[in-house]
């Protein structure tokens, strides 16, 4: 840690906050949070286990879905320690180094999830627009390479953000707006020139979520055009239904993300509760909802879950 971040009183610590208007240690919030995290772990781990053990699910679509589940797990587990510490144990102080590490993992897994959503949009684009070439275009080898590129992009793009902010001088006892560390939130407490940090942070967002959202939008413009050209109404409905799960995942991820980014830059006049709810929705809702949506809307996964439930009941009766 740079010397500019130290004083005679010891190392710099950030103060985390809970839900505005509620006590810092609130079992009314701690219990629902634990339930959300347990639901997230159960849903995503179940998806990963099913895809790993069921060879009929060893296709590009489900490989990308397993990458999405891993990104969701990483994103949620990055926030888990501090959120539970704040709401269960009233532990609100976090040293600079730990805060930077948490910030790095949150933004890295967020960028990875955004990239996986792009890969899934491309998968749906090829499946609907070029169905006869799907197997030859999206091979297992290409899928693994795409996954590797997505993970490396997230790791490398966010790393300079952590390095730059670690070297900045901070005001004493900075109070963050959330129960976890985000780059935009930490940047508010820098006592020096933040132009380089702000410009690179904005560039990183544009190179990841900005380009990703435009790519997904373009993919769906072409997908919708292809669906509308299908003569059979039944085939048209079937083609569109294959995109519903992915569209839900995209909306659940990007709507809170865009809202949070806008509020951090232009919404200083808004009540703190707005910042808190949007940040929590951005980091907690997608990992919980994605397994539920895909389990409900994807026939193969739904059939697999029903089969496992039937086997479990049969074994209980036996």
């Amino acid at each position: 840690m740079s010397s500019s971040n130290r004083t005679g009183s010891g190392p710099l610590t950030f103060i985390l906050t809970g839900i505005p208007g509620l006590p810092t240690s609130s079992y009314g919030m701690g219990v629902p949070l634990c339930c959300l995290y347990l639901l997230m772990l159960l849903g995503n781990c179940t998806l990963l286990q099913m895809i790993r053990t069921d060879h009929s699910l060893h296709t590009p679509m489900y490989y990308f879905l397993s990458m999405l589940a891993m990104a969701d797990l990483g994103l949620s587990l990055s926030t888990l320690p501090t959120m539970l510490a704040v709401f269960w144990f009233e532990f609100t102080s976090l040293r600079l180094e730990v805060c930077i590490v948490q910030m790095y993992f949150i933004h890295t897994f967020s960028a990875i999830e955004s990239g996986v959503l792009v890969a899934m949009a491309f998968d749906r684009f090829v499946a609907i627009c070029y169905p006869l070439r799907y197997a030859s275009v999206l091979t297992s080898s290409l899928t693994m390479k795409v996954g590797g590129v997505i993970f490396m992009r997230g790791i490398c793009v966010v790393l300079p953000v952590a390095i730059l902010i670690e070297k900045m001088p901070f005001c004493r006892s900075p109070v963050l707006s959330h129960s976890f560390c985000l780059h935009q939130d930490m940047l508010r407490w820098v006592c020096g020139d933040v132009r380089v940090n702000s410009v690179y942070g904005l560039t990183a967002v544009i190179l990841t979520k900005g380009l990703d959202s435009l790519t997904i939008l373009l993919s769906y413009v072409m997908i919708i055009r292809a669906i509308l050209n299908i003569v059979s109404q039944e085939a048209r409905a079937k083609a569109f239904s294959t995109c519903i799960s992915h569209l839900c995942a995209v909306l659940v991820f990007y709507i809170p993300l865009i809202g949070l980014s806008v509020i951090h830059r232009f919404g200083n006049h808004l009540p703190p509760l707005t910042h808190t709810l949007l940040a929590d929705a951005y980091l907690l809702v997608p990992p919980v909802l994605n397994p539920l949506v895909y389990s409900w809307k994807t026939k193969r996964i739904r059939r697999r879950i029903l089969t496992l439930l039937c086997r479990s009941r049969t074994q209980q009766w036996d």
Side-chain angles (χ1 to χ4, degrees):
M1 183 170 65
S2 59
S3 59
S4 58
N5 286 328
R6 295 179 181 271
T7 66
S9 60
L12 175 72
T13 58
F14 286 91
I15 308 301
L16 304 174
T17 57
I19 304 293
L22 290 179
T24 304
S25 180
S26 170
Y27 291 108
M29 281 302 302
V31 172
L33 276 176
C34 283
C35 292
L36 280 176
Y37 278 112
L38 288 173
L39 188 59
M40 177 276 302
L41 286 169
L42 178 63
N44 286 290
C45 289
T46 301
L47 269 183
L48 288 171
Q49 178 65 11
M50 281 195 301
I51 293 170
R52 187 182 72 85
T53 56
D54 190 340
H55 291 283
S56 69
L57 300 180
H58 291 183
T59 63
M61 174 183 172
Y62 296 102
Y63 287 146
F64 288 135
L65 181 55
S66 65
M67 293 177 199
L68 183 68
M70 286 189 284
D72 280 337
L73 283 169
L75 193 59
S76 293
L77 293 176
S78 297
T79 63
L80 175 63
T82 54
M83 290 195 79
L84 293 186
V86 168
F87 289 107
W88 278 103
F89 305 108
E90 205 170 347
F91 184 83
T92 58
S93 297
L94 200 64
R95 288 186 57 168
L96 173 67
E97 300 93 334
V98 180
C99 197
I100 289 174
V101 169
Q102 185 185 48
M103 177 211 72
Y104 173 75
F105 280 110
I106 289 174
H107 289 292
T108 295
F109 282 112
S110 178
I112 289 171
E113 179 153 350
S114 180
V116 173
L117 290 173
V118 173
M120 296 176 83
F122 178 70
D123 173 84
R124 294 299 84 204
F125 166 73
V126 176
I128 291 172
C129 298
Y130 303 99
L132 298 179
R133 298 175 58 186
Y134 181 83
S136 60
V137 172
L138 278 168
T139 61
S140 297
S141 174
L142 179 63
T143 304
M144 293 299 106
K145 288 176 183 176
V146 168
V149 169
I150 289 169
F151 275 80
M152 287 306 299
R153 185 193 68 159
I155 291 168
C156 296
V157 168
V158 181
L159 186 59
V161 174
I163 293 172
L164 285 170
I165 203 166
E166 194 275 336
K167 299 180 182 299
M168 299 301 294
F170 287 89
C171 303
R172 295 305 304 173
S173 300
V175 180
L176 300 180
S177 305
H178 314 293
S179 49
F180 41 82
C181 302
L182 295 177
H183 180 249
Q184 308 97 309
D185 204 15
M186 295 174 67
L187 214 56
R188 294 187 304 113
W189 293 99
V190 172
C191 294
D193 188 355
V194 298
R195 281 178 295 181
V196 174
N197 298 69
S198 295
V199 168
Y200 184 80
L202 182 60
T203 303
V205 169
I206 292 171
L207 289 176
T208 53
K209 287 123 183 185
L211 286 178
D212 291 350
S213 57
L214 288 176
T215 304
I216 292 170
L217 179 62
L218 180 61
S219 297
Y220 271 96
V221 168
M222 292 186 284
I223 286 171
I224 291 170
R225 284 180 58 186
I227 290 175
L228 293 177
N229 288 331
I230 298 174
V231 176
S232 168
Q233 191 164 352
E234 183 181 350
R236 189 185 302 174
K238 184 178 179 181
F240 186 72
S241 68
T242 64
C243 301
I244 292 295
S245 301
H246 181 252
L247 275 173
C248 290
V250 169
L251 293 175
V252 164
F253 179 77
Y254 277 104
I255 289 176
L257 169 64
I258 294 169
L260 185 63
S261 300
V262 170
I263 280 179
H264 266 298
R265 294 186 183 276
F266 308 109
N268 293 328
H269 61 285
L270 294 173
L273 183 60
T274 308
H275 294 249
T276 303
L277 291 179
L278 265 179
D280 290 348
Y282 159 53
L283 293 174
L284 293 179
V285 173
V288 172
L289 286 186
N290 284 339
L292 297 176
V293 170
Y294 275 95
S295 299
W296 177 254
K297 295 298 297 181
T298 307
K299 287 184 179 179
R300 281 191 184 181
I301 294 177
R302 191 167 68 243
R303 195 181 303 125
R304 176 71 170 160
I305 291 174
L306 291 173
T307 302
L308 292 174
L309 288 173
C310 290
R311 285 180 183 174
S312 176
R313 286 186 178 183
T314 303
Q315 289 173 356
Q316 286 177 357
W317 283 106
D318 291 344

